[in-house]
Amino acid sequence: MTTQDDLLHLARAVALSRERMEANLGGPFGAVIVREGRVLGEGWNEVTSSNDPTAHAEVTAIRKACGALGDFSLAGATLYTSCEPCPMCLASAYWARISRIVYANTRDEAAAIGFDDAFIYDEMPKPPGERAIPMDHVPTPEAAAAFAAWMAKPDKIEY
C-alpha cells in the first residue's frame, strides 16, 4: 500500500533524476534510500560524468547509504527510484538486503527512450557457455584453496 511518505520520497527520486540529467551528469534516473523515516542516501545516474558504467542511481544511493551507516546491510530500508531497476541495480538491492522497492517509470518506458535492458534480462538465465560474452570455466587449485580458507576462517564476516 502506497503512503504519503512513499509519494514524498518517490518525488525526491524523480526530482533528482531530472535535476542531475539537466546538469549533464548522466541519464534521467534518481534514487533515495529510506529506513524508519530517515533518508540514508541519495543517488543519481553518474555513468557519463564519472565514466563508470556501474554508477546507476540505485547503486550510487546504495553506496552512499552503506557508507553513511558503516554497514553493508540495508535491511528494513526502502529504495525509491525513478525507474524500475535494471538487472544490475536489482541484484545490488538484493545484495544490500533492501526490504522494499518503490519505482515510478517501468523498464518498458525506459526502453522506449533508449535504455533497453531486455537483452541483459534474457542473458541472465542462460548457462554460462550460451551467453553473448564468452565465458570459460578454468578451475585452479589456488582458487579452490581460497574458498576452503574462507570456509575455515574463524573471524569471517558473513554476508
Side-chain angles (χ1 to χ4, degrees):
M1 177 173 205
T2 305
T3 68
Q4 286 300 314
D5 282 347
D6 288 337
L7 296 174
L8 175 76
H9 297 303
L10 186 59
R12 177 63 182 154
V14 171
L16 284 168
S17 76
R18 179 98 187 229
E19 291 166 9
R20 300 318 196 259
M21 179 259 314
E22 288 177 349
N24 293 320
L25 294 175
F29 304 97
V32 178
I33 297 173
V34 178
R35 184 167 58 195
E36 298 175 355
R38 179 176 162 226
V39 174
L40 303 177
E42 295 183 339
W44 48 90
N45 185 285
E46 299 178 29
V47 170
T48 57
S49 59
S50 68
N51 294 316
D52 179 354
T54 69
H56 290 200
E58 297 89 341
V59 172
T60 59
I62 288 168
R63 289 174 181 163
K64 289 174 184 173
C66 289
L69 290 174
D71 193 350
F72 56 81
S73 176
L74 296 174
T78 299
L79 168 62
Y80 296 92
T81 180
S82 62
C83 187
E84 180 179 355
C86 76
M88 176 184 68
C89 294
L90 182 59
S92 297
Y94 277 106
W95 275 112
R97 313 293 192 280
I98 295 283
S99 296
R100 181 172 174 243
I101 299 173
V102 178
Y103 62 94
N105 294 316
T106 68
R107 71 190 228 194
D108 292 332
E109 291 167 322
I113 64 164
F115 295 94
D116 191 353
D117 50 18
F119 173 75
I120 300 169
Y121 277 105
D122 292 343
E123 285 287 294
M124 298 301 284
K126 292 180 182 177
E130 295 177 18
R131 293 181 181 144
I133 296 175
M135 297 180 70
D136 298 314
H137 178 212
V138 183
T140 68
E142 296 82 7
F147 272 22
W150 172 259
M151 287 299 298
K153 187 173 173 39
D155 60 344
K156 67 181 169 240
I157 299 172
E158 295 190 27
Y159 59 97

